[in-house]
Coordinates of all heavy atoms in Angstrom, one line a residue:
L9 N 43.3 59.8 26.2 CA 44.5 60.3 26.8 C 45.3 59.1 27.4 O 44.7 58.3 28.0 CB 44.1 61.2 28.0 CG 43.0 62.3 27.7 CD1 42.8 63.2 28.9 CD2 43.4 63.2 26.5
G10 N 46.6 59.1 27.1 CA 47.4 58.0 27.5 C 46.9 56.8 26.8 O 46.7 55.7 27.3
C11 N 46.9 56.9 25.4 CA 46.3 55.8 24.6 C 47.1 54.5 24.6 O 46.5 53.5 24.3 CB 46.1 56.3 23.2 SG 47.6 56.9 22.4
G12 N 48.4 54.6 24.8 CA 49.2 53.4 24.7 C 49.0 52.8 23.4 O 49.0 53.5 22.3
L13 N 48.9 51.5 23.3 CA 48.7 50.8 22.1 C 47.2 50.3 22.0 O 46.9 49.4 21.2 CB 49.6 49.6 22.0 CG 51.1 49.9 22.0 CD1 51.9 48.6 21.9 CD2 51.4 50.8 20.8
D14 N 46.3 51.0 22.7 CA 44.9 50.7 22.6 C 44.4 50.8 21.2 O 44.7 51.7 20.5 CB 44.1 51.7 23.5 CG 42.7 51.4 23.5 OD1 42.2 50.6 24.3 OD2 41.9 52.1 22.7
T15 N 43.5 49.9 20.8 CA 43.0 49.9 19.4 C 41.6 50.3 19.3 O 40.9 50.0 18.3 CB 43.1 48.4 18.9 OG1 42.4 47.5 19.7 CG2 44.5 47.9 18.7
R16 N 41.1 51.1 20.3 CA 39.7 51.5 20.3 C 39.3 52.2 19.0 O 38.2 52.0 18.5 CB 39.4 52.5 21.5 CG 38.0 52.8 21.7 CD 37.7 53.6 22.9 NE 37.7 52.8 24.1 CZ 38.6 52.8 25.0 NH1 39.7 53.5 25.0 NH2 38.5 52.0 26.1
I17 N 40.1 53.1 18.5 CA 39.8 53.8 17.2 C 39.3 52.8 16.1 O 38.4 53.1 15.4 CB 40.9 54.7 16.7 CG1 40.7 55.4 15.4 CG2 42.3 53.9 16.6 CD1 39.6 56.4 15.4
F18 N 40.0 51.7 16.0 CA 39.7 50.7 15.0 C 38.5 49.9 15.3 O 37.7 49.5 14.5 CB 40.9 49.8 14.7 CG 42.1 50.6 14.4 CD1 43.2 50.7 15.3 CD2 42.3 51.3 13.2 CE1 44.3 51.5 15.0 CE2 43.4 52.1 12.9 CZ 44.4 52.2 13.8
R19 N 38.3 49.6 16.6 CA 37.2 48.8 17.0 C 35.9 49.6 17.0 O 34.8 49.1 16.5 CB 37.4 48.3 18.5 CG 38.5 47.2 18.5 CD 38.7 46.7 19.9 NE 39.6 47.6 20.7 CZ 39.2 48.1 21.8 NH1 38.0 48.0 22.3 NH2 40.0 48.9 22.5
V20 N 35.9 50.9 17.4 CA 34.7 51.7 17.3 C 34.4 52.1 15.9 O 33.3 52.3 15.5 CB 34.9 53.0 18.2 CG1 33.8 54.0 18.0 CG2 35.0 52.6 19.7
D21 N 35.5 52.4 15.1 CA 35.3 52.8 13.7 C 34.4 53.9 13.5 O 33.3 53.8 12.9 CB 34.9 51.5 12.9 CG 35.0 51.8 11.4 OD1 35.7 52.7 11.0 OD2 34.3 51.1 10.6
P22 N 34.7 55.1 14.1 CA 33.8 56.2 14.1 C 33.4 56.7 12.7 O 34.3 56.6 11.8 CB 34.5 57.3 15.0 CG 35.9 57.0 14.8 CD 36.0 55.5 14.7
P23 N 32.3 57.3 12.6 CA 31.9 57.9 11.3 C 32.8 59.1 10.9 O 33.4 59.7 11.8 CB 30.4 58.3 11.5 CG 30.3 58.5 12.9 CD 31.2 57.5 13.6
P24 N 32.8 59.6 9.7 CA 33.7 60.7 9.3 C 33.5 62.0 9.9 O 34.4 62.9 9.9 CB 33.5 60.7 7.7 CG 32.3 59.9 7.4 CD 32.0 59.0 8.6
W25 N 32.3 62.3 10.5 CA 32.2 63.6 11.2 C 32.7 63.6 12.6 O 32.7 64.6 13.3 CB 30.7 64.0 11.2 CG 29.7 63.0 11.9 CD1 29.4 62.9 13.2 CD2 29.0 61.9 11.2 NE1 28.6 61.9 13.4 CE2 28.3 61.3 12.3 CE3 28.9 61.5 9.9 CZ2 27.5 60.2 12.0 CZ3 28.1 60.4 9.7 CH2 27.4 59.7 10.7
V26 N 33.3 62.5 13.0 CA 34.0 62.4 14.3 C 35.5 62.6 14.1 O 36.1 61.9 13.3 CB 33.7 61.1 15.0 CG1 34.6 61.0 16.3 CG2 32.2 61.0 15.4
D27 N 36.1 63.6 14.8 CA 37.5 63.7 14.9 C 38.0 63.0 16.1 O 37.5 63.3 17.2 CB 38.0 65.2 14.9 CG 38.0 65.7 13.5 OD1 38.8 65.3 12.7 OD2 37.1 66.6 13.2
W28 N 39.0 62.2 16.0 CA 39.5 61.4 17.1 C 40.9 61.7 17.4 O 41.8 61.7 16.4 CB 39.3 59.9 16.7 CG 39.6 58.9 17.8 CD1 40.8 58.7 18.5 CD2 38.7 57.9 18.3 NE1 40.7 57.7 19.4 CE2 39.4 57.2 19.3 CE3 37.4 57.6 18.0 CZ2 38.8 56.1 20.0 CZ3 36.8 56.6 18.7 CH2 37.5 55.8 19.7
F29 N 41.3 62.0 18.6 CA 42.6 62.4 19.0 C 43.2 61.4 20.0 O 42.5 61.1 21.0 CB 42.7 63.8 19.6 CG 42.2 64.9 18.7 CD1 40.8 65.1 18.5 CD2 43.1 65.6 18.0 CE1 40.4 66.1 17.6 CE2 42.7 66.6 17.1 CZ 41.3 66.9 16.9
D30 N 44.3 60.8 19.7 CA 45.0 59.9 20.7 C 46.3 60.6 21.1 O 47.0 61.1 20.2 CB 45.3 58.5 20.0 CG 44.2 57.5 20.2 OD1 43.3 57.7 21.1 OD2 44.2 56.5 19.5
I31 N 46.5 60.6 22.4 CA 47.7 61.3 22.9 C 48.5 60.4 23.8 O 47.9 59.7 24.7 CB 47.4 62.7 23.5 CG1 48.6 63.3 24.2 CG2 46.2 62.5 24.6 CD1 48.4 64.7 24.6
D32 N 49.8 60.4 23.7 CA 50.7 59.7 24.6 C 52.1 60.3 24.4 O 52.3 61.2 23.6 CB 50.7 58.2 24.3 CG 50.9 57.4 25.6 OD1 52.0 57.5 26.1 OD2 50.1 56.5 25.9
Y33 N 53.0 59.8 25.2 CA 54.4 60.3 25.0 C 54.9 60.0 23.6 O 54.5 59.1 22.9 CB 55.3 59.5 26.0 CG 55.1 59.9 27.5 CD1 54.7 58.9 28.4 CD2 55.3 61.2 27.9 CE1 54.6 59.2 29.7 CE2 55.1 61.5 29.3 CZ 54.7 60.5 30.2 OH 54.6 60.8 31.5
P34 N 55.9 60.8 23.2 CA 56.4 60.7 21.8 C 56.8 59.3 21.4 O 56.5 58.8 20.3 CB 57.5 61.7 21.7 CG 57.2 62.8 22.7 CD 56.4 62.0 23.8
E35 N 57.5 58.6 22.3 CA 58.0 57.3 21.9 C 56.8 56.3 21.7 O 56.9 55.4 20.9 CB 59.0 56.7 22.9 CG 58.5 56.7 24.4 CD 58.8 58.0 25.2 OE1 58.8 59.1 24.6 OE2 59.1 57.9 26.4
V36 N 55.7 56.5 22.4 CA 54.6 55.6 22.3 C 53.9 55.9 20.9 O 53.5 55.0 20.2 CB 53.6 55.8 23.5 CG1 52.4 54.9 23.3 CG2 54.3 55.4 24.8
I37 N 53.8 57.2 20.7 CA 53.1 57.6 19.4 C 53.9 57.1 18.2 O 53.4 56.7 17.2 CB 52.9 59.2 19.4 CG1 51.9 59.6 20.5 CG2 52.4 59.6 18.0 CD1 50.6 59.0 20.4
E38 N 55.3 57.2 18.3 CA 56.1 56.7 17.3 C 55.9 55.2 17.0 O 55.8 54.8 15.9 CB 57.6 56.9 17.7 CG 58.6 56.8 16.6 CD 60.0 56.9 17.1 OE1 60.2 57.8 18.0 OE2 60.9 56.2 16.6
L39 N 55.7 54.5 18.1 CA 55.5 53.0 18.0 C 54.1 52.8 17.3 O 54.0 51.9 16.5 CB 55.5 52.4 19.4 CG 55.5 50.9 19.4 CD1 56.6 50.2 18.6 CD2 55.6 50.4 20.9
R40 N 53.1 53.6 17.7 CA 51.8 53.4 17.1 C 51.9 53.7 15.6 O 51.2 53.0 14.8 CB 50.8 54.5 17.7 CG 50.2 54.2 19.1 CD 49.1 55.1 19.4 NE 47.9 54.8 18.7 CZ 46.9 54.0 19.2 NH1 47.1 53.5 20.4 NH2 45.9 53.7 18.5
R41 N 52.6 54.7 15.2 CA 52.7 55.0 13.8 C 53.3 53.8 13.0 O 53.0 53.6 11.9 CB 53.6 56.3 13.6 CG 52.9 57.6 14.0 CD 53.7 58.8 13.5 NE 53.4 60.0 14.2 CZ 52.3 60.7 13.9 NH1 51.4 60.3 13.0 NH2 52.0 61.8 14.6
K42 N 54.3 53.1 13.7 CA 54.9 52.0 13.0 C 53.9 50.8 12.9 O 53.9 50.0 12.0 CB 56.1 51.5 13.8 CG 57.3 52.4 13.6 CD 58.5 51.8 14.3 CE 59.7 52.8 14.2 NZ 60.6 52.7 15.3
L43 N 53.1 50.6 13.9 CA 52.3 49.4 14.1 C 50.9 49.5 13.4 O 50.4 48.5 12.9 CB 52.1 49.0 15.5 CG 53.3 48.6 16.3 CD1 53.0 48.4 17.8 CD2 53.9 47.3 15.7
Y44 N 50.3 50.7 13.4 CA 48.9 50.8 13.0 C 48.8 51.7 11.8 O 49.5 52.7 11.7 CB 48.1 51.4 14.2 CG 48.1 50.6 15.4 CD1 48.0 51.3 16.7 CD2 48.1 49.2 15.4 CE1 47.9 50.5 17.9 CE2 48.0 48.5 16.6 CZ 48.0 49.2 17.8 OH 47.9 48.5 19.0
P45 N 47.8 51.5 11.0 CA 47.6 52.3 9.8 C 47.0 53.7 10.2 O 46.4 53.8 11.3 CB 46.5 51.5 9.0 CG 45.8 50.7 10.0 CD 46.8 50.4 11.0
S46 N 47.3 54.7 9.4 CA 46.6 56.0 9.6 C 45.2 55.9 9.0 O 44.9 55.0 8.3 CB 47.4 57.1 9.0 OG 47.5 56.9 7.6
R47 N 44.4 56.9 9.4 CA 43.1 57.0 8.8 C 42.6 58.4 8.8 O 43.1 59.2 9.6 CB 42.1 56.0 9.4 CG 42.0 56.1 10.9 CD 41.0 55.1 11.5 NE 39.6 55.5 11.4 CZ 38.6 54.7 11.4 NH1 38.8 53.4 11.6 NH2 37.4 55.1 11.3
D48 N 41.6 58.8 8.0 CA 41.1 60.1 8.0 C 40.5 60.5 9.3 O 39.9 59.6 9.9 CB 40.1 60.3 6.9 CG 40.7 60.3 5.5 OD1 41.9 60.4 5.4 OD2 39.9 60.0 4.5
H49 N 40.6 61.7 9.7 CA 39.9 62.2 10.9 C 40.5 61.6 12.2 O 39.9 61.7 13.3 CB 38.4 62.0 10.9 CG 37.8 62.7 9.7 ND1 37.6 64.0 9.5 CD2 37.4 62.1 8.5 CE1 37.0 64.2 8.4 NE2 36.9 63.1 7.7
Y50 N 41.7 61.0 12.1 CA 42.4 60.4 13.2 C 43.7 61.1 13.4 O 44.5 61.2 12.5 CB 42.6 58.9 13.0 CG 43.3 58.2 14.1 CD1 42.9 58.4 15.4 CD2 44.4 57.4 13.8 CE1 43.6 57.7 16.5 CE2 45.1 56.8 14.9 CZ 44.7 56.9 16.2 OH 45.4 56.3 17.2
H51 N 43.9 61.7 14.6 CA 45.0 62.5 14.9 C 45.8 61.9 16.1 O 45.2 61.6 17.1 CB 44.5 63.9 15.3 CG 43.5 64.4 14.4 ND1 43.8 65.1 13.2 CD2 42.1 64.4 14.5 CE1 42.6 65.4 12.6 NE2 41.6 65.0 13.3
L52 N 47.1 61.9 15.9 CA 48.0 61.4 17.0 C 48.7 62.6 17.5 O 49.3 63.4 16.8 CB 49.0 60.4 16.4 CG 48.4 59.0 16.1 CD1 49.4 58.2 15.2 CD2 48.0 58.3 17.4
I53 N 48.8 62.8 18.8 CA 49.5 63.9 19.5 C 50.6 63.3 20.4 O 50.3 62.5 21.3 CB 48.5 64.7 20.3 CG1 47.4 65.3 19.4 CG2 49.3 65.9 21.0 CD1 46.3 66.1 20.2
A54 N 51.8 63.7 20.1 CA 53.0 63.2 20.8 C 53.3 64.2 21.9 O 54.1 65.1 21.7 CB 54.1 62.9 19.8
S55 N 52.8 64.0 23.1 CA 53.1 64.9 24.2 C 52.7 64.3 25.5 O 51.8 63.4 25.5 CB 52.2 66.2 23.9 OG 52.3 67.0 25.1
S56 N 53.3 64.8 26.5 CA 52.7 64.4 27.9 C 51.4 65.2 28.0 O 51.2 66.3 27.6 CB 53.6 64.9 29.0 OG 53.0 64.8 30.2
V57 N 50.4 64.5 28.6 CA 49.1 65.2 28.8 C 49.2 66.4 29.8 O 48.3 67.2 29.9 CB 48.0 64.2 29.3 CG1 47.7 63.2 28.3 CG2 48.4 63.6 30.7
T58 N 50.3 66.4 30.5 CA 50.5 67.5 31.5 C 51.0 68.7 30.9 O 51.1 69.8 31.5 CB 51.4 67.0 32.7 OG1 52.7 66.7 32.1 CG2 50.8 65.8 33.4
E59 N 51.4 68.7 29.6 CA 51.9 69.9 28.9 C 50.6 70.6 28.4 O 49.9 70.0 27.6 CB 52.7 69.5 27.7 CG 54.1 68.9 28.0 CD 55.0 69.9 28.7 OE1 54.9 71.1 28.4 OE2 55.8 69.4 29.6
P60 N 50.4 71.8 28.8 CA 49.2 72.5 28.4 C 49.1 72.7 26.9 O 48.0 72.8 26.3 CB 49.2 73.9 29.1 CG 50.5 74.0 29.8 CD 51.2 72.6 29.7
G61 N 50.2 72.8 26.1 CA 50.2 73.2 24.7 C 49.4 72.2 23.8 O 48.9 72.6 22.8
W62 N 49.3 70.9 24.2 CA 48.8 69.9 23.2 C 47.3 70.2 22.9 O 46.9 69.9 21.8 CB 48.9 68.5 23.8 CG 48.1 68.1 24.9 CD1 48.4 68.2 26.3 CD2 46.8 67.6 24.9 NE1 47.4 67.8 27.0 CE2 46.4 67.4 26.2 CE3 45.9 67.3 23.9 CZ2 45.1 66.9 26.6 CZ3 44.6 66.8 24.2 CH2 44.2 66.6 25.5
L63 N 46.6 70.9 23.8 CA 45.2 71.1 23.5 C 45.0 72.1 22.3 O 43.9 72.2 21.8 CB 44.5 71.6 24.8 CG 43.8 70.6 25.6 CD1 43.3 71.2 26.9 CD2 42.6 69.9 24.9
A64 N 46.0 72.8 22.0 CA 45.9 73.8 20.9 C 45.6 73.0 19.6 O 45.1 73.6 18.6 CB 47.2 74.6 20.7
D65 N 46.0 71.7 19.5 CA 45.7 70.9 18.3 C 44.3 70.4 18.3 O 43.9 69.7 17.3 CB 46.7 69.7 18.2 CG 48.1 70.2 18.0 OD1 48.3 71.3 17.5 OD2 49.1 69.4 18.4
V66 N 43.5 70.6 19.3 CA 42.2 70.1 19.4 C 41.2 71.2 19.3 O 41.3 72.2 20.0 CB 42.0 69.4 20.8 CG1 40.5 68.9 21.0 CG2 43.0 68.2 21.0
P67 N 40.2 71.1 18.4 CA 39.3 72.2 18.2 C 38.6 72.6 19.5 O 38.2 71.7 20.3 CB 38.3 71.7 17.1 CG 38.9 70.5 16.5 CD 39.9 69.9 17.5
R68 N 38.3 73.8 19.6 CA 37.6 74.3 20.8 C 36.1 74.1 20.6 O 35.6 74.1 19.5 CB 37.8 75.8 20.9 CG 39.1 76.2 21.6 CD 39.1 77.7 22.0 NE 40.2 77.9 22.9 CZ 40.1 77.7 24.2 NH1 39.0 77.4 24.8 NH2 41.2 77.9 25.0
N69 N 35.4 74.0 21.7 CA 34.0 74.0 21.8 C 33.3 73.0 20.9 O 32.2 73.3 20.4 CB 33.5 75.5 21.5 CG 34.1 76.4 22.5 OD1 34.2 76.1 23.7 ND2 34.5 77.6 22.0
R70 N 33.9 71.9 20.6 CA 33.2 70.8 20.0 C 32.8 69.8 21.1 O 33.4 69.7 22.1 CB 34.1 70.0 19.0 CG 34.6 70.9 17.9 CD 34.0 70.5 16.5 NE 33.8 69.2 16.2 CZ 34.6 68.5 15.3 NH1 35.7 69.0 14.8 NH2 34.3 67.3 15.0
L71 N 31.6 69.2 20.9 CA 31.2 68.2 21.8 C 32.2 67.1 21.8 O 32.8 66.7 20.8 CB 29.8 67.6 21.4 CG 28.7 68.6 21.6 CD1 27.4 67.9 21.1 CD2 28.5 69.0 23.0
A72 N 32.5 66.5 23.0 CA 33.6 65.6 23.1 C 33.4 64.5 24.1 O 32.7 64.8 25.2 CB 34.9 66.3 23.4
I73 N 33.9 63.3 23.9 CA 34.0 62.3 24.9 C 35.5 62.2 25.2 O 36.3 62.1 24.3 CB 33.4 61.0 24.4 CG1 31.9 61.1 24.1 CG2 33.7 59.8 25.4 CD1 31.3 59.9 23.4
V74 N 35.8 62.2 26.5 CA 37.2 62.0 26.9 C 37.4 60.7 27.5 O 36.7 60.4 28.5 CB 37.7 63.2 27.8 CG1 39.1 63.0 28.2 CG2 37.5 64.5 27.2
V75 N 38.4 59.9 27.0 CA 38.7 58.6 27.6 C 40.1 58.6 28.1 O 41.0 59.0 27.4 CB 38.5 57.5 26.5 CG1 38.9 56.1 27.1 CG2 37.1 57.4 26.0
A76 N 40.3 58.2 29.3 CA 41.6 58.2 29.9 C 41.8 56.9 30.7 O 42.1 56.9 31.9 CB 41.8 59.5 30.8
E77 N 41.7 55.9 30.0 CA 41.7 54.5 30.6 C 43.1 54.2 31.1 O 44.1 54.2 30.3 CB 41.2 53.5 29.6 CG 41.0 52.1 30.2 CD 40.4 51.2 29.1 OE1 40.7 51.4 27.9 OE2 39.8 50.2 29.5
G78 N 43.3 54.0 32.4 CA 44.6 53.6 32.9 C 45.6 54.7 33.0 O 46.8 54.4 33.2
L79 N 45.2 55.9 32.8 CA 46.1 57.0 32.8 C 46.3 57.6 34.2 O 47.4 57.9 34.7 CB 45.7 58.2 31.9 CG 46.4 59.5 32.0 CD1 47.9 59.3 31.4 CD2 45.7 60.6 31.2
T80 N 45.2 57.9 34.9 CA 45.3 58.7 36.2 C 46.3 58.1 37.2 O 46.8 58.9 38.0 CB 43.9 59.0 36.8 OG1 43.2 57.8 37.0 CG2 43.1 59.9 35.8
P81 N 46.5 56.8 37.3 CA 47.4 56.4 38.3 C 48.8 56.9 38.1 O 49.6 56.9 39.0 CB 47.4 54.8 38.2 CG 46.1 54.5 37.6 CD 45.8 55.7 36.7
Y82 N 49.1 57.3 36.9 CA 50.5 57.8 36.6 C 50.6 59.3 36.8 O 51.7 59.9 36.7 CB 50.8 57.6 35.1 CG 50.9 56.1 34.8 CD1 49.8 55.4 34.3 CD2 52.0 55.4 35.1 CE1 49.8 54.0 34.1 CE2 52.1 54.0 34.9 CZ 51.0 53.3 34.4 OH 51.1 52.0 34.1
L83 N 49.5 60.0 37.1 CA 49.5 61.5 37.3 C 49.5 61.8 38.8 O 48.6 61.4 39.5 CB 48.3 62.1 36.6 CG 48.2 61.9 35.1 CD1 46.9 62.6 34.6 CD2 49.4 62.3 34.3
P84 N 50.4 62.7 39.2 CA 50.2 63.3 40.5 C 48.8 64.0 40.6 O 48.4 64.5 39.6 CB 51.3 64.3 40.6 CG 52.3 64.0 39.5 CD 51.5 63.3 38.5
A85 N 48.2 64.0 41.8 CA 46.8 64.5 41.9 C 46.7 65.9 41.4 O 45.7 66.2 40.7 CB 46.4 64.4 43.4
D86 N 47.7 66.8 41.7 CA 47.5 68.2 41.3 C 47.6 68.3 39.7 O 46.9 69.1 39.1 CB 48.6 69.1 41.9 CG 50.0 68.7 41.7 OD1 50.2 67.5 41.4 OD2 50.9 69.5 41.7
E87 N 48.4 67.5 39.1 CA 48.5 67.5 37.6 C 47.2 67.0 37.0 O 46.7 67.5 36.0 CB 49.7 66.6 37.1 CG 51.1 67.1 37.4 CD 51.5 68.2 36.5 OE1 50.6 68.7 35.7 OE2 52.7 68.6 36.5
G88 N 46.7 65.9 37.6 CA 45.4 65.4 37.1 C 44.3 66.4 37.2 O 43.5 66.6 36.3
L89 N 44.2 67.1 38.3 CA 43.2 68.2 38.5 C 43.4 69.3 37.5 O 42.4 69.8 36.9 CB 43.2 68.7 39.9 CG 42.6 67.7 40.9 CD1 42.8 68.2 42.4 CD2 41.1 67.4 40.7
R90 N 44.6 69.7 37.3 CA 44.9 70.8 36.3 C 44.5 70.3 34.9 O 43.9 71.1 34.1 CB 46.4 71.1 36.3 CG 46.7 72.3 37.2 CD 48.0 72.9 36.9 NE 49.1 72.0 37.3 CZ 49.7 71.9 38.5 NH1 49.2 72.7 39.5 NH2 50.7 71.1 38.7
L91 N 44.8 69.0 34.5 CA 44.4 68.5 33.2 C 42.9 68.5 33.1 O 42.3 69.0 32.0 CB 44.9 67.0 33.1 CG 44.4 66.2 31.9 CD1 44.9 66.9 30.6 CD2 44.9 64.8 32.0
L92 N 42.1 68.0 34.1 CA 40.7 68.0 34.0 C 40.1 69.5 33.8 O 39.2 69.7 33.0 CB 40.1 67.4 35.2 CG 40.2 65.9 35.3 CD1 39.6 65.4 36.7 CD2 39.5 65.2 34.2
S93 N 40.7 70.4 34.5 CA 40.3 71.8 34.5 C 40.5 72.3 33.0 O 39.6 73.0 32.5 CB 41.0 72.6 35.5 OG 40.7 73.9 35.4
R94 N 41.7 72.0 32.4 CA 42.0 72.5 31.1 C 41.0 71.9 30.1 O 40.5 72.6 29.2 CB 43.4 72.2 30.7 CG 44.5 73.1 31.3 CD 45.8 72.9 30.5 NE 46.4 71.6 30.6 CZ 47.2 71.2 31.6 NH1 47.5 72.0 32.6 NH2 47.6 70.0 31.6
L95 N 40.7 70.6 30.3 CA 39.7 69.9 29.3 C 38.3 70.6 29.4 O 37.7 70.9 28.4 CB 39.6 68.4 29.7 CG 40.9 67.6 29.3 CD1 40.8 66.3 30.0 CD2 41.0 67.4 27.8
V96 N 37.9 70.8 30.6 CA 36.5 71.4 30.8 C 36.5 72.8 30.2 O 35.5 73.2 29.6 CB 36.2 71.4 32.3 CG1 34.9 72.2 32.6 CG2 36.0 70.0 32.8
S97 N 37.6 73.6 30.3 CA 37.6 74.9 29.8 C 37.6 74.9 28.3 O 37.1 75.8 27.6 CB 38.8 75.7 30.2 OG 38.9 75.8 31.6
H98 N 38.3 73.9 27.7 CA 38.5 73.9 26.3 C 37.4 73.3 25.5 O 37.1 73.7 24.4 CB 39.8 73.0 26.0 CG 40.4 73.2 24.6 ND1 41.2 74.2 24.2 CD2 40.2 72.4 23.5 CE1 41.5 74.0 22.9 NE2 40.9 72.9 22.5
L99 N 36.7 72.3 26.0 CA 35.8 71.5 25.2 C 34.3 71.9 25.6 O 34.1 72.5 26.7 CB 35.9 70.0 25.5 CG 37.3 69.4 25.2 CD1 37.4 68.0 25.8 CD2 37.5 69.4 23.7
A100 N 33.4 71.6 24.7 CA 32.0 72.0 25.0 C 31.4 70.9 25.9 O 30.3 70.9 26.2 CB 31.2 72.1 23.7
Ligands
SAM1 C1 48.3 51.5 31.6 S1 48.6 52.2 30.1 C2 47.0 52.4 29.4 C3 47.0 52.4 27.9 C4 45.6 52.5 27.2 N1 44.8 53.6 27.7 C5 44.9 51.2 27.5 O1 43.9 51.2 28.3 O2 45.2 50.1 26.9 C6 49.0 53.9 30.6 C7 49.4 54.8 29.4 O3 49.4 56.2 29.8 C8 50.5 56.8 29.2 N2 50.9 57.9 30.1 C9 51.3 57.9 31.4 N3 51.5 59.2 31.8 C10 51.3 60.0 30.7 C11 51.4 61.4 30.5 N4 51.8 62.2 31.5 N5 51.2 61.9 29.3 C12 50.8 61.0 28.3 N6 50.6 59.7 28.4 C13 50.9 59.2 29.6 C14 51.6 55.7 29.2 O4 52.6 56.0 28.3 C15 50.8 54.5 28.8 O5 50.7 54.4 27.4

């Protein structure tokens, strides 16, 4: 969440049974698309994390690791808590 230009997807190089979702504001995702190659099972979501709709693109009830490095300082506390609550409800 709030992936910025982080290259973790390429450094971790997850196996094909892992679906990986990176989300950030549309202008950041547009820049990522220009700079980095696409790959199978890798999904970019162009949205604010505070918009509830983006989770519809993420499968429900799959085991998940959520990484939000450097994101929470940008979120008002109530938005951050709502985000965590939506994630816990959506994911296994
Ligand atoms: C300090 S950078 C960290 C980037 C990356 N996680 C890293 O560790 O290199 C914070 C990132 O959070 C994103 N961000 C801040 N608020 C956001 C929001 N409401 N929705 C989506 N992304 C957000 C910014 O656009 C920026 O890319």
